[in-house]
Amino acid sequence: MSDAAEIRFISKPHPITGVTNSKLGVWCFLASEVMLFGGLFSAYILLRIGATEWPHGSTILNVPLATLNTMILIVSSVTMVMSWASLALKNFSKYRFYMAITILLGIAFLVVKSFEYAHKFEHHHYPSTNNFYGIYFTLTGLHGLHVIGGIFLNLYLLLPGSKLWKTNPEQFMGRVEAAGLYWHFVDLVWIFLFPTLYLL
Amino acid sequence: MSDHLSPEEVKKHVTIYVRVFMALAALTIITVAISYLHLPILAAVGVALLIASFKGSLVAAYFMHLAQEKKIILYPLILVFFFFIVLLIIPTLSRF
């Protein structure tokens, strides 16, 4: 009976699709995420085209801080993929090192972002101030929530979830790869958010 | 992407990751530098989106291993990409 409840093909590729069900599932989730952010980018374009005046992002937002955050996320993507590569090389201690760095970089991103938000609130700039701040806080806020989600996911894979490495290394590698796909997607979204909001 | 890579293959991947990182860092600096040129808005949007798309493609192709991924994953993504572009075009139609 226990076999009936088991989710199949989460470590081995499915014979029909050629990929694991878990990887296909993560990609379907990411596809839905593309549409979620796509809807908000679409709203941004509509608001901007319809506005009689639209501020240049660099005049009211902090470009150096956002550039720093872009670099932080890019480095975190490298450390994330290096954590997966370390597992592929059967080096668990290196995996933990790179995963811990990825988590710290994610936290650093949020700290920098919180400085930016605090500065805006000090000057009484809220989502309700105007359409620019409305879409700025919506897009960066939703992205920030994704970063928080990624940090918790990575923390799980660094601490309690890493026990799986001893019992089922193949499945654990699959989980780290799936978490990596999500983390890279979060980086990818920021790559588009940064010029859209701060530089144009 | 095959889940069974030899150590040599993984090391080749790591070399690629480092190169992609350097390209992403350089392109970020270029994006910011170009923004200080204060190009006309259409040119600025074009250049910024072109560089962002290239950076995004690097992340998807190499960090997310899409360059070596099976077609079952690529096909739905192509469909999603098409609808994503449609979402971006729809609001511009309000100008006509």
Side-chain angles (χ1 to χ4, degrees):
Chain A
M1 282 303 284
S2 62
D3 281 353
E6 189 187 334
I7 304 169
R8 299 172 72 201
F9 303 112
I10 51 173
S11 300
K12 304 275 182 212
H14 192 287
I16 295 175
T17 61
V19 296
T20 59
N21 281 347
S22 29
K23 187 189 274 186
L24 188 59
V26 169
W27 272 112
C28 287
F29 166 66
L30 293 183
S32 76
E33 290 276 275
V34 171
M35 297 316 281
L36 171 68
F37 280 99
L40 288 171
F41 272 107
S42 187
Y44 166 85
I45 295 170
L46 185 68
L47 288 174
R48 182 154 188 173
I49 285 179
T52 46
E53 276 184 31
W54 191 267
H56 193 280
S58 65
T59 58
I60 49 174
L61 299 176
N62 194 323
V63 175
L65 273 188
T67 308
L68 172 67
N69 254 353
T70 307
M71 289 298 189
I72 286 173
L73 273 196
I74 289 172
V75 175
S76 81
S77 253
V78 179
T79 55
M80 185 78 207
V81 83
M82 287 301 290
S83 72
W84 172 84
S86 302
L87 287 182
L89 291 168
K90 314 268 182 255
N91 192 335
F92 187 69
S93 56
K94 260 196 171 176
Y95 156 75
R96 295 193 78 165
F97 170 75
Y98 282 119
M99 189 52 111
I101 298 288
T102 307
I103 292 165
L104 288 176
L105 288 168
I107 293 168
F109 176 89
L110 289 176
V111 169
V112 172
K113 200 84 211 118
S114 67
F115 280 131
E116 273 192 83
Y117 274 18
H119 185 258
K120 291 286 157 250
F121 296 150
E122 274 172 25
H123 290 81
H124 304 288
H125 292 142
Y126 302 106
S128 58
T129 303
N130 56 34
N131 280 343
F132 176 85
Y133 281 115
I135 198 72
Y136 163 78
F137 279 112
T138 306
L139 277 167
T140 56
L142 184 66
H143 179 265
L145 285 176
H146 278 75
V147 174
I148 292 170
I151 289 171
F152 278 109
L153 176 62
N154 289 343
L155 268 174
Y156 171 76
L157 291 171
L158 176 69
L159 299 168
S162 66
K163 286 176 192 160
L164 189 65
W165 174 249
K166 286 180 185 164
T167 53
N168 192 341
E170 212 172 25
Q171 190 182 354
F172 183 65
M173 251 187 92
R175 284 185 180 180
V176 172
E177 189 181 8
L181 288 174
Y182 172 79
W183 192 256
H184 300 312
F185 174 78
V186 172
D187 179 24
L188 211 156
V189 170
W190 184 258
I191 282 173
F192 283 93
L193 276 186
F194 171 55
T196 306
L197 293 173
Y198 290 81
L199 304 178
L200 293 174
Chain B
M1 169 97 192
S2 167
D3 293 326
H4 300 284
L5 296 171
S6 69
E8 289 71 31
E9 284 174 309
V10 176
K11 281 170 189 164
K12 273 185 194 168
H13 276 279
V14 170
T15 312
I16 293 170
Y17 299 149
V18 174
R19 285 181 188 162
V20 169
F21 162 68
M22 289 192 288
L24 290 173
L27 287 168
T28 302
I29 293 165
I30 290 169
T31 309
V32 177
I34 287 175
S35 77
Y36 285 106
L37 295 177
H38 298 292
L39 296 172
I41 186 65
L42 276 181
V45 170
V47 171
L49 286 187
L50 197 72
I51 296 175
S53 302
F54 185 59
K55 284 169 73 183
S57 306
L58 286 177
V59 171
Y62 296 106
F63 289 168
M64 299 171 95
H65 303 139
L66 266 189
Q68 296 160 298
E69 206 46 272
K70 298 273 190 302
K71 284 176 182 158
I72 187 84
I73 285 173
L74 294 181
Y75 287 154
L77 289 180
I78 291 168
L79 192 68
V80 164
F81 181 72
F82 170 75
F83 282 114
F84 177 75
I85 298 297
V86 168
L87 272 180
L88 299 191
I89 290 173
I90 286 173
T92 64
L93 299 178
S94 61
R95 291 192 113 184
F96 302 108

